[in-house]
Amino acid sequence: MPTAQLINELQSCGVRLVDPKAGHESRRGGAGPSDHKALTIDGMTVMVPVHTAPAFESPYVVDKPDALGRSRLSRDGVMLAAVSFPTRPRFYDRSTADGIPYWKIALLHSHDVLATTVLQSCIRYQSRTKTCQFCAIGQSLAAGRTIERKTPAQLAEVAKAAVELDGVRHMVMTTGTPPGRDRGAAILAESAAAVKQAVDLAIQGQCEPPESDDWFARMREAGIDALGMHLEAVTPEVRARIMPGKAQISLERYFDAFAAAVPVFGRGQVSTYILAGLGDTAESILSTCEKLIAIGVYPFVVPFVPISGTPLESYPAPSPAFIHAILSPLAQMLRAGGLNATDIKAGCGKCGACSALSTYERRAAT
Ligand code: SF4
């Protein structure tokens, strides 16, 4: 297993690829963290920034891989580890009957997660005064790398193929926020129902808190096994600066929604993504995590990645020491609270490839 420190370093600094085409297509644009490539180190797959400004200057270098995708990670000419790139999934070669390549409908994340953005547009993305500054949801759409609305039938078809051809083990369904009070819960529910009819695959849905808590039971009944409602930033000042539109949904509403969702999905099956490095202090992130764990919500803390083309592309990436100062005590808090990444049925917390948190959790357990 790579050390937590090495993963922290790679995710903060990124890596320089001697062959930029190494591995299968990287994540560029899209919702949430992006500009990564999946890299397997000692059997563990992590997402590492490769297209960001820090990555172009990174002291970490990955050689051109051989025909089997095997390569070497080095720093200052000193070899650190053997690495490999997950091979291109077989479902990427298929297309729907109407000619849409499956990879425009869903992507492989890490090595065993199918991920899709059901609706590739957002009420908050059109306006500079409302958009989340870190988000690139419109970039992949503008570049023709995806389609705006994935239908339930398309998602079911792709999910079935990804399980059968590539052994995918769980699915992440995120969405831009549509107009309306459900904030995306309705399209997630109808999409999950269609996937579950086609194939037995655990699903995490990700959306903003809907206006009515009734949506939690409806999403669960439709086949969503785990739910993510993402805070991203945890203090009102940072939320207002970084995500002025989404910050209109108060922290109180998020916590009320978490409290209502946990009894429906189960303790540890509701999670939230927190981007460390946007301005929140380590103390404020940890005190929020403490409150979340107390009510059964898994806080998935991820280092912020400055995505090219977003307003934050020149914002500094957090230092490995800052991330360590959060993840090390957080792993202890999770353990004391009885929450564990491996117990999550589906989603980012279970996948864990965008953060070293699960490595810290394993370390805390020994
Ligand atoms: S943690 Fe989430 S966003 Fe990151 S690779 Fe895994 S599924 Fe994708």
Side-chain angles (χ1 to χ4, degrees), residues 133-338:
Q133 307 276 296
F134 50 78
C135 183
I137 191 170
Q139 285 183 24
S140 45
L141 183 61
R145 289 194 297 270
T146 188
I147 56 172
E148 182 167 4
R149 175 75 165 95
K150 290 81 172 176
T151 67
Q154 288 168 339
L155 291 167
E157 184 179 338
V158 175
K160 188 165 187 296
V163 170
E164 290 173 356
L165 298 176
D166 298 287
V168 154
R169 288 156 57 109
H170 55 117
M171 181 169 190
V172 173
M173 282 184 184
T174 193
T175 182
T177 303
R181 296 167 154 203
D182 66 276
R183 302 198 196 283
I187 54 174
L188 292 178
E190 67 179 26
S191 303
V195 168
K196 278 283 162 75
Q197 270 214 328
V199 64
D200 182 16
L201 184 62
I203 299 170
Q204 184 203 33
Q206 302 181 345
C207 61
E208 292 184 12
E211 275 189 32
S212 165
D213 292 339
D214 294 346
W215 276 107
F216 298 134
R218 289 156 81 173
M219 283 194 274
R220 183 76 191 92
E221 279 156 24
I224 292 178
D225 300 280
L227 180 69
M229 293 186 288
H230 296 170
L231 286 169
E232 337 279 7
V234 301
T235 44
E237 310 74 54
V238 180
R239 296 184 81 230
R241 175 168 56 83
I242 299 289
M243 30 191 245
K246 196 165 145 171
Q248 287 163 7
I249 300 173
S250 67
L251 287 167
E252 288 71 28
R253 173 60 196 134
Y254 267 87
F255 272 84
D256 286 349
F258 290 138
V262 170
V264 176
F265 290 92
R267 198 176 151 77
Q269 303 303 333
V270 177
S271 60
T272 191
Y273 221 101
I274 295 173
L275 291 170
L278 293 173
D280 290 317
T281 61
E283 294 71 29
S284 59
I285 290 175
L286 284 168
S287 71
T288 303
C289 290
E290 196 170 16
K291 288 185 211 144
L292 290 162
I293 293 168
I295 59 170
V297 174
Y298 182 92
F300 187 48
V301 177
V302 173
F304 159 69
V305 175
I307 301 171
S308 308
T310 67
L312 295 186
E313 70 175 0
S314 303
Y315 204 80
S319 71
F322 178 70
I323 298 299
H324 174 79
I326 298 169
L327 297 188
S328 184
L330 176 55
Q332 300 287 353
M333 283 161 54
L334 284 165
R335 185 167 161 72

Side-chain angles (χ1 to χ4, degrees), residues 92-108:
Y92 278 19
D93 293 332
R94 293 205 174 169
S95 297
T96 60
D98 46 349
I100 300 167
Y102 279 10
W103 58 264
K104 289 194 177 187
I105 294 166
L107 291 172
L108 184 73

Side-chain angles (χ1 to χ4, degrees), residues 27 33 47 109-110 113 115 172 206 273 300 347-349 351-354:
R27 299 179 55 207
M47 300 301 285
H109 279 200
S110 185
V113 187
V172 173
Q206 302 181 345
Y273 221 101
F300 187 48
C348 289
C351 164
C354 285

